[in-house]
Amino acid sequence: MQIDPRTNLSNQLADALNNRTIEPDTKREITITFRVSTAEKSRLEQRCNGVVQSDYIRARLFDYPLPQPKLTIPEVNRQTIYELKKIGNNLNQQTRAINEAVKIGSQPLTNNVKEYLQTIKELAALLEQTHASLSQPIAEED
């Protein structure tokens, strides 16, 4: 007995729809692009509500759990965090330079140098605390 090709195709389609789960950790190498209207884009953005659009679409299409929304940090805080990171990098460079100079003997480890290193350490800790407080998400308004 031979199976009708349309029945076979229909069965394959039904199997594909029933088994929509795809391994989420597979390497994603293919880009898919499609067009939407302005209204559709607005609706998608509303539904995403802080979730990356591609993650939202993938979750809805392949029945993955919806990812957690990204933290909302005000722009002024992001800019301040960027500047704090630059200052922190400068402090780390100074600390390394002083420690290297002491290590090779071109800078004696005097009390002034020890105090300066301690001040840098305290400033770095203060920068970390400030960074942490600025990184707190803001409350979303309904």
Side-chain angles (χ1 to χ4, degrees), residues 15-16 20 38 57 85 92 111:
D15 288 345
R20 291 192 304 177
T38 304
I57 293 169
K85 285 182 178 181
N92 287 336
N111 283 337

Side-chain angles (χ1 to χ4, degrees), residues 91 94-95 98 115-125:
L91 291 175
Q94 289 177 19
T95 303
I98 292 169
E115 286 177 24
Y116 186 70
L117 287 171
Q118 182 59 35
T119 302
I120 290 176
K121 187 176 181 179
E122 291 168 5
L123 283 172

Side-chain angles (χ1 to χ4, degrees), residues 4-73:
D4 178 23
R6 286 187 300 184
T7 303
N8 191 25
L9 185 59
S10 179
N11 289 341
Q12 288 176 352
L13 181 58
D15 288 345
L17 289 174
N18 289 333
N19 299 317
R20 291 192 304 177
T21 304
I22 298 174
E23 292 297 319
D25 58 346
T26 58
K27 188 172 181 183
R28 295 184 175 116
E29 300 171 331
I30 299 170
T31 300
I32 298 175
T33 305
F34 61 97
R35 295 182 184 273
V36 294
S37 68
T38 304
E40 289 170 330
K41 179 161 176 49
S42 176
R43 187 172 172 191
L44 177 63
E45 288 171 349
Q46 287 174 341
R47 287 188 175 190
C48 288
N49 194 26
V51 175
V52 176
Q53 285 182 6
S54 59
D55 291 341
Y56 177 84
I57 293 169
R58 210 176 281 114
R60 290 295 181 222
L61 183 63
F62 299 119
D63 297 325
Y64 297 157
L66 198 59
Q68 294 295 318
K70 287 189 167 185
L71 299 178
T72 305
I73 299 175

Side-chain angles (χ1 to χ4, degrees), residues 96-110 113 117:
R96 277 195 298 273
I98 292 169
N99 286 330
E100 186 61 29
V102 169
K103 183 178 173 183
I104 63 172
S106 65
Q107 169 66 51
L109 187 58
T110 64
V113 172
L117 287 171

